[in-house]
Amino acid sequence: MSFWEVGEMASSLLALLLLLEGAMLSSSPPPSGLLEKLFQHIDLHQDEFVQTLKEWVAIESDSIQPVPRLRREIFRIMALAADRLQHLGARVKSVDLDSQQLPDGQSLPVPPILLAELGDEPEKPTVCFYGHLDVQPAQQEDGWLTDPYTLTEELPVNIKFILEGMEEAGSVALEELVRKEKDSFFSNVDYIVISDNLWISRRTPALIFGTRGNSYFMVEVKCRDQDFHSGTFGGILNEPMADLVALLGSLVDSSGHILIPGIYDQMTPLTEEEKKMYETIDLDLEEYQNSSQVEKFLFDTKEELLTHLWRYPSLSIHGIQGAFDDPGTKTVIPGRVIGKFSIRLVPHMNLSLVEKQVKQHLEAVFSRRNSSNKMAVSMVIGLHPWIANISDTQYLAAKRAIRTVFGVEPDMIQDGSTIPIARTFQDITQKSVMMLPLGAVDDGEHAQNEKINRWNYIEGSKLFAAFFLELSKLH
Amino acid sequence: MSFWEVGEMASSLLALLLLLEGAMLSSSPPPSGLLEKLFQHIDLHQDEFVQTLKEWVAIESDSIQPVPRLRREIFRIMALAADRLQHLGARVKSVDLDSQQLPDGQSLPVPPILLAELGDEPEKPTVCFYGHLDVQPAQQEDGWLTDPYTLTEELPVNIKFILEGMEEAGSVALEELVRKEKDSFFSNVDYIVISDNLWISRRTPALIFGTRGNSYFMVEVKCRDQDFHSGTFGGILNEPMADLVALLGSLVDSSGHILIPGIYDQMTPLTEEEKKMYETIDLDLEEYQNSSQVEKFLFDTKEELLTHLWRYPSLSIHGIQGAFDDPGTKTVIPGRVIGKFSIRLVPHMNLSLVEKQVKQHLEAVFSRRNSSNKMAVSMVIGLHPWIANISDTQYLAAKRAIRTVFGVEPDMIQDGSTIPIARTFQDITQKSVMMLPLGAVDDGEHAQNEKINRWNYIEGSKLFAAFFLELSKLH
């Protein structure tokens, strides 16, 4: 259903699984010829790769909406993925989790997290691949083209998988599991790879070494639970919508600057090294603007644009719950409304401090209004930003692999979005974490008409092969 | 389905029709005993009155949501009402109307308007009763308790009906029909009665001589049609929600004062006579506050409260279309959002001038933001305020009737809501228009748990009887 969500998985898990299938098909080739042979296999079978992707795309799932039917779809895909990994010869452990208690009292089951291991040879480096399966159930048999093979000696690394189904809903329960498995599943892991985002250009691959965090706030203004008729009550009430609009209007100015006192104090200044890295990045501003269908961005230079996506926090107002949101006209005075906004945090910003600053600011604004309504602010999601050390071995291996497959140097970039698990993995396991994206800048993730190019998908599969080989050499 | 909507009709059309049924049941009583006999009939049959009301309440309909299924329900109720009037012996004309073209290109049929006449004796005054049937279809046979009777000589007035099914959606096509029927259907009408609102107290009946108008605005802010992901675009965009929240926040301050320049210039000052009228009104402030479940109104005195409901314009923000409005968390940057608000106009305010002032104000605010988004403002509903001459004969007759049935003087009040057809009738037909409400202040119209008291319903039916008798004497 959601092309991007499948794209994330396709560009990562699918490409990887199909590559591995190829690797196991090839019976005892000389190590030096492995990569060529794999590339050939991928090229020859690319229609099948695309067909499998097509089947995955056709399937609906969603971890964000707390609906039992959709939740069941995630369980189904977790079971299918486990099955697929088992066919590949991996040892798979499905970790069952406690139910999730929603704010409205509803209880929903949380899909299991899969831990899988493919290869366990101490002399080889162990790469742990993290992926999430939200919005990616499978409706039909996955159509393996051959009988399953068991792992052959040709694979130059051991591979582990950790797959969850609740990333889009904030990775419920994953952190706890990582903590629990720190000294078991993760003990022999050397590198953790995540492939869940995009390049900054259409043609130049990128490595991602940082992501913004996210703090999501709800601010409720309540007069009473029932709505009012604006004819009967308009003019004598502190209307909750007027209060809420003033609160939301106090957060950010028209130049994108956040108006919450102290919020920028937590940032570190831009280094000379960083500035240089921004200069070499392959970003065609005009093309970026056109592909985004945005008439004009807030900034005119590549450096300004990128720093405001990666190095500065941003605040977005997402919407209002409880007001009139249908088409047409309704003269209601909503009695209780909830405004929703979030702040993307950059490295070195502290979540608790941000929460405190936001609450203090909103309380001050509300207090000045002298309204008889009740206001309540809560931070409902708090996800840390993440930044990695780009001198780590796997970054060097990935750079080489990119040169091999694409013939260019990768853009060393950050991501304005939040992949909270990167920071979680890094903090808990103390292992090197890298993001290896396969999708192009114009894939339009999380929006209408999202897509992934066939080229990115097929070459991405090759990139995994080259990366594993380089890693085994450098390790 | 909607109790209040049925309440409107029940308190008016149903009470009136059931009264007329009683009037026709009584064969040749002496004119002097008519009222007593009718009152007796109503008291004896009140369970049946309530049963009929119950059946009407059980039925769903809605003219606001542009949905074919709901629209068909209105057609159904118009046909049933026509049938009921015909059984009563009225001549009924069902006026078919052109389809309605919605802003989104959809075309929906408009239910017919019913014109009905009961009695045509030139020596008697002719009262035209306006009602609307939105949200009032009938699911089962209406269960007449007796065979239909033809009109007897006892009815002291001629009665006409004009019934529509699109009031809640802005009385589409009604004005044109009134204009067309001015010299035919309306030519021999003396008085027009509307019963579509509430008393200001729980026990003291009221007559309503004025209503506020309404101008409903939509302000659209657009960056592009698709939404954005706040991770990928947060920080480099003029976000439409930030613009919209600033626009909506510029409309009214926290004391309810409208901030649109010039908007108060159109009001006339409060007269001494008006001030006196406000003093005698039966309004228990504390009870009003409690029954409204509002902790504190913007004003502390009865006079301030009432003037801000009736004599001052008010502005309410209803909601936002196109943003994230579901429960849960979604980190979307809406690409195109539409804010909705309306201004309740008081007598002597000019619609076109208000429209101009609102547009100028919003354009000025938007221009100061220097945003690259596109803004478009439109007034999608424009309904005039209405004020009547309370020395008109029917007001005197109604006062007398209230004394007879309830034993008290009525509150002479206005209504903060908009019943646009009052002004339309008055302007086009040049006849006296009066509003004769039957519902109590705590009925909670247009909100959850709306209701009507059995007492109001039954005594209201008697009030119609007494009113017709007094009118025939005074005319």
Side-chain angles (χ1 to χ4, degrees):
Chain A
M1 196 198 99
S2 167
F3 203 98
W4 166 249
E5 294 306 334
V6 171
E8 286 177 285
M9 263 318 273
S11 328
S12 49
L13 186 61
L14 253 192
L16 178 53
L17 289 174
L18 292 169
L19 156 73
L20 291 172
E21 183 197 354
M24 286 154 213
L25 274 172
S26 59
S27 56
S28 310
S32 64
L34 177 61
L35 210 53
E36 291 72 17
K37 192 139 181 156
L38 276 173
F39 284 10
Q40 207 176 21
H41 169 82
I42 293 168
D43 282 335
L44 277 171
H45 293 83
Q46 58 173 289
D47 283 348
E48 291 148 29
F49 274 49
V50 171
Q51 180 54 33
T52 308
L53 177 57
K54 214 169 170 179
E55 288 164 16
W56 286 39
V57 166
I59 295 159
E60 184 178 24
S61 178
D62 185 340
S63 65
I64 296 180
Q65 293 187 71
V67 180
R69 180 183 66 85
L70 295 174
R71 199 50 68 87
R72 281 193 296 275
E73 291 299 283
I74 310 178
F75 271 80
R76 204 153 67 89
I77 185 60
M78 296 310 293
L80 284 170
D83 201 45
R84 182 181 274 259
L85 282 162
Q86 260 154 358
H87 271 75
L88 203 60
R91 276 170 295 145
V92 181
K93 184 177 162 192
S94 178
V95 183
D96 291 332
L97 300 162
D98 287 340
S99 284
Q100 180 185 22
Q101 214 61 35
L102 299 176
D104 67 357
Q106 201 191 160
S107 170
L108 271 183
V110 171
I113 293 175
L114 300 185
L115 300 176
E117 303 184 28
L118 198 59
D120 187 14
E121 297 168 68
E123 75 281 5
K124 294 180 179 175
T126 299
V127 177
C128 177
F129 183 86
Y130 163 81
H132 66 85
L133 294 147
D134 331 20
V135 193
Q136 290 160 34
Q139 240 166 0
Q140 51 194 104
E141 286 312 307
D142 289 320
W144 284 88
L145 302 171
T146 62
D147 285 334
Y149 288 71
T150 52
L151 184 63
T152 63
E153 297 293 313
E154 283 72 31
L155 205 60
V157 295
N158 302 311
I159 301 182
K160 291 194 169 192
F161 292 89
I162 176 162
L163 304 176
E164 67 158 326
M166 294 292 287
E167 195 269 350
E168 301 295 349
S171 290
V172 179
L174 185 64
E175 181 173 334
E176 199 187 318
L177 183 73
V178 174
R179 215 173 283 281
K180 206 174 139 197
E181 296 286 342
K182 184 192 167 189
D183 298 321
S184 42
F185 181 81
F186 288 101
S187 63
N188 63 340
V189 165
D190 299 294
Y191 308 102
I192 297 172
V193 176
I194 301 170
S195 183
D196 191 33
N197 26 27
L198 299 181
W199 302 345
I200 191 80
S201 101
R202 287 186 192 217
R203 304 294 293 184
T204 308
L207 291 178
I208 301 180
F209 63 96
T211 57
R212 291 196 289 192
N214 196 17
S215 52
Y216 199 108
F217 290 88
M218 297 202 183
V219 48
E220 175 185 287
V221 180
K222 176 178 166 178
C223 180
R224 67 174 193 190
D225 283 319
Q226 297 179 343
D227 290 340
F228 298 88
H229 184 269
S230 70
T232 320
F233 286 94
I236 59 169
L237 285 185
N238 275 124
E239 301 190 8
M241 274 297 278
D243 283 342
L244 182 58
V245 152
L247 289 166
L248 296 176
S250 76
L251 297 170
V252 60
D253 73 13
S254 59
S255 67
H257 189 82
I258 302 175
L259 302 170
I260 298 160
I263 203 99
Y264 289 101
D265 299 349
Q266 308 178 38
M267 284 177 51
T268 52
L270 212 65
T271 65
E272 282 306 313
E273 200 186 350
E274 275 183 288
K275 276 182 196 159
K276 251 183 241 164
M277 219 150 55
Y278 282 112
E279 282 163 24
T280 64
I281 286 169
D282 176 21
L283 176 70
D284 182 331
L285 256 192
E286 203 178 346
E287 188 191 311
Y288 186 41
Q289 198 148 307
N290 289 345
S291 74
S292 308
Q293 295 171 271
V294 173
E295 189 133 334
K296 200 179 171 323
F297 286 123
L298 285 170
F299 308 99
D300 296 328
T301 70
K302 183 173 73 176
E303 287 76 7
E304 274 181 306
L305 214 65
L306 294 180
T307 48
H308 281 87
L309 279 175
W310 302 341
R311 285 291 264 113
Y312 289 93
S314 68
L315 190 150
S316 297
I317 302 167
H318 309 299
I320 294 172
Q321 179 186 338
F324 174 60
D325 46 49
D326 292 327
T329 56
K330 191 175 172 186
T331 55
V332 68
I333 299 176
R336 188 168 76 96
V337 286
I338 302 172
K340 299 178 183 185
F341 65 93
S342 67
I343 301 173
R344 297 278 168 180
L345 310 180
V346 291
H348 311 295
M349 284 179 78
N350 179 287
L351 260 179
S352 315
L353 187 52
V354 168
E355 179 179 13
K356 196 175 146 192
Q357 287 168 337
V358 168
K359 286 183 175 175
Q360 276 178 350
H361 170 72
L362 287 176
E363 274 153 20
V365 172
F366 189 69
S367 157
R368 278 198 295 277
R369 290 183 64 79
N370 204 19
S371 167
S372 56
N373 295 323
K374 297 266 177 291
M375 182 192 75
V377 188
S378 54
M379 185 174 87
V380 293
I381 294 178
L383 303 170
H384 294 286
W386 163 72
I387 190 102
N389 182 353
I390 58 174
S391 314
D392 286 344
T393 307
Q394 68 168 341
Y395 280 90
L396 305 179
K399 278 185 186 177
R400 287 193 188 182
I402 286 169
R403 270 180 233 127
T404 304
V405 177
F406 295 94
V408 296
E409 287 293 322
D411 287 329
M412 297 302 291
I413 66 174
Q414 300 181 54
D415 192 309
S417 312
T418 306
I419 298 105
I421 194 61
R423 168 74 177 254
T424 306
F425 282 133
Q426 193 178 61
D427 281 359
I428 299 174
T429 70
Q430 301 287 316
K431 310 283 179 178
S432 168
V433 177
M434 181 179 71
M435 295 197 181
L436 185 60
L438 304 189
V441 67
D442 58 352
D443 282 358
E445 85 279 29
H446 286 287
Q448 297 97 326
N449 300 323
E450 48 193 6
K451 55 93 181 159
I452 185 170
N453 302 323
R454 173 188 271 249
W455 181 73
N456 290 66
Y457 177 45
I458 298 302
E459 298 305 297
S461 192
K462 294 179 189 171
L463 178 56
F464 276 118
F467 170 60
F468 293 147
L469 203 63
E470 295 295 344
L471 197 60
S472 73
K473 288 186 207 161
L474 282 174
H475 185 69
Chain B
M1 195 198 102
S2 167
F3 203 100
W4 166 250
E5 294 306 334
V6 171
E8 287 176 286
M9 264 318 272
S11 329
S12 49
L13 187 61
L14 253 193
L16 178 53
L17 289 175
L18 292 168
L19 157 74
L20 291 171
E21 183 198 353
M24 284 152 213
L25 274 172
S26 60
S27 57
S28 309
S32 64
L34 177 60
L35 211 51
E36 290 73 16
K37 190 136 183 162
L38 276 174
F39 284 11
Q40 205 175 23
H41 169 82
I42 293 167
D43 283 335
L44 275 171
H45 293 82
Q46 56 174 292
D47 284 348
E48 291 149 29
F49 274 49
V50 171
Q51 180 55 33
T52 307
L53 177 57
K54 215 169 169 179
E55 287 164 17
W56 285 41
V57 166
I59 296 158
E60 183 179 23
S61 176
D62 186 340
S63 65
I64 295 180
Q65 293 187 71
V67 181
R69 180 182 65 84
L70 295 174
R71 199 51 68 88
R72 281 193 297 273
E73 290 298 285
I74 310 178
F75 270 80
R76 203 153 67 90
I77 186 59
M78 296 310 293
L80 284 171
D83 201 45
R84 183 180 272 258
L85 282 163
Q86 262 155 356
H87 272 74
L88 204 61
R91 277 170 295 147
V92 182
K93 186 176 160 190
S94 178
V95 183
D96 291 330
L97 300 163
D98 287 341
S99 283
Q100 181 184 20
Q101 213 63 34
L102 299 177
D104 67 358
Q106 201 192 160
S107 171
L108 271 183
V110 172
I113 294 175
L114 301 184
L115 301 175
E117 303 183 29
L118 197 62
D120 186 16
E121 297 167 69
E123 75 280 7
K124 294 180 180 176
T126 298
V127 178
C128 177
F129 182 87
Y130 162 81
H132 66 85
L133 293 146
D134 331 21
V135 195
Q136 291 160 33
Q139 241 165 0
Q140 51 194 104
E141 287 311 309
D142 289 318
W144 284 87
L145 303 171
T146 61
D147 285 335
Y149 288 73
T150 51
L151 184 63
T152 62
E153 297 292 315
E154 281 71 30
L155 205 60
V157 294
N158 302 310
I159 302 181
K160 291 194 168 192
F161 293 90
I162 176 162
L163 304 177
E164 68 158 326
M166 294 293 287
E167 195 269 349
E168 301 294 349
S171 291
V172 180
L174 185 65
E175 180 171 336
E176 199 187 318
L177 183 74
V178 173
R179 215 172 284 280
K180 206 175 139 196
E181 294 288 343
K182 184 191 167 189
D183 298 321
S184 42
F185 180 82
F186 288 101
S187 65
N188 62 342
V189 165
D190 298 295
Y191 308 103
I192 297 172
V193 176
I194 299 170
S195 182
D196 192 31
N197 25 27
L198 299 181
W199 302 346
I200 191 80
S201 99
R202 288 187 191 218
R203 303 294 294 182
T204 310
L207 291 177
I208 300 179
F209 64 95
T211 58
R212 290 196 289 192
N214 196 16
S215 51
Y216 199 107
F217 290 87
M218 296 201 185
V219 49
E220 177 185 286
V221 180
K222 176 178 166 176
C223 179
R224 66 174 192 191
D225 282 320
Q226 296 178 344
D227 290 340
F228 298 89
H229 184 267
S230 70
T232 321
F233 286 95
I236 60 169
L237 284 184
N238 275 122
E239 302 191 8
M241 273 297 278
D243 284 341
L244 183 57
V245 154
L247 290 165
L248 295 176
S250 76
L251 296 169
V252 60
D253 72 13
S254 58
S255 66
H257 190 82
I258 302 174
L259 302 170
I260 298 160
I263 203 98
Y264 289 102
D265 298 350
Q266 307 178 39
M267 284 177 49
T268 52
L270 211 67
T271 65
E272 282 305 313
E273 200 186 349
E274 274 182 289
K275 278 182 194 160
K276 249 184 241 161
M277 220 148 56
Y278 281 112
E279 284 164 21
T280 64
I281 286 169
D282 176 21
L283 177 69
D284 181 330
L285 256 192
E286 203 178 344
E287 187 190 313
Y288 187 41
Q289 199 146 304
N290 290 344
S291 73
S292 308
Q293 297 170 270
V294 172
E295 188 139 296
K296 199 178 170 326
F297 286 121
L298 285 170
F299 307 99
D300 296 328
T301 68
K302 182 173 74 176
E303 287 76 8
E304 273 181 305
L305 214 67
L306 294 179
T307 49
H308 281 87
L309 279 175
W310 301 342
R311 283 291 265 114
Y312 289 92
S314 68
L315 189 149
S316 296
I317 302 167
H318 309 300
I320 294 172
Q321 181 186 338
F324 173 60
D325 45 50
D326 291 329
T329 56
K330 192 176 172 186
T331 56
V332 68
I333 299 176
R336 189 168 75 96
V337 286
I338 302 171
K340 301 180 181 184
F341 65 92
S342 67
I343 301 174
R344 297 278 169 179
L345 310 179
V346 290
H348 311 295
M349 284 178 81
N350 180 288
L351 259 178
S352 318
L353 188 51
V354 168
E355 180 179 13
K356 198 175 144 192
Q357 288 168 337
V358 168
K359 286 183 174 176
Q360 276 179 348
H361 170 72
L362 288 177
E363 275 153 18
V365 172
F366 189 68
S367 158
R368 278 196 296 275
R369 289 184 64 80
N370 204 20
S371 168
S372 56
N373 295 323
K374 297 265 177 290
M375 184 194 72
V377 187
S378 55
M379 187 174 86
V380 292
I381 295 178
L383 303 170
H384 295 285
W386 163 71
I387 191 104
N389 182 351
I390 57 173
S391 315
D392 285 345
T393 307
Q394 68 169 339
Y395 280 90
L396 305 180
K399 278 185 186 177
R400 285 193 189 181
I402 285 170
R403 269 181 234 128
T404 304
V405 177
F406 296 92
V408 295
E409 286 294 321
D411 286 329
M412 297 302 291
I413 67 176
Q414 297 181 56
D415 192 310
S417 313
T418 307
I419 299 106
I421 194 60
R423 169 73 177 256
T424 306
F425 280 133
Q426 193 179 60
D427 281 0
I428 300 173
T429 70
Q430 303 284 317
K431 310 285 180 175
S432 166
V433 177
M434 181 179 71
M435 295 198 180
L436 186 61
L438 305 189
V441 68
D442 57 354
D443 282 358
E445 84 280 29
H446 285 286
Q448 298 95 325
N449 299 322
E450 50 191 6
K451 53 94 181 162
I452 186 170
N453 302 323
R454 174 188 270 247
W455 181 73
N456 290 66
Y457 178 44
I458 299 301
E459 299 306 297
S461 192
K462 293 179 189 171
L463 178 57
F464 276 119
F467 170 62
F468 292 147
L469 203 65
E470 294 297 342
L471 197 61
S472 72
K473 286 185 205 162
L474 281 175
H475 185 68

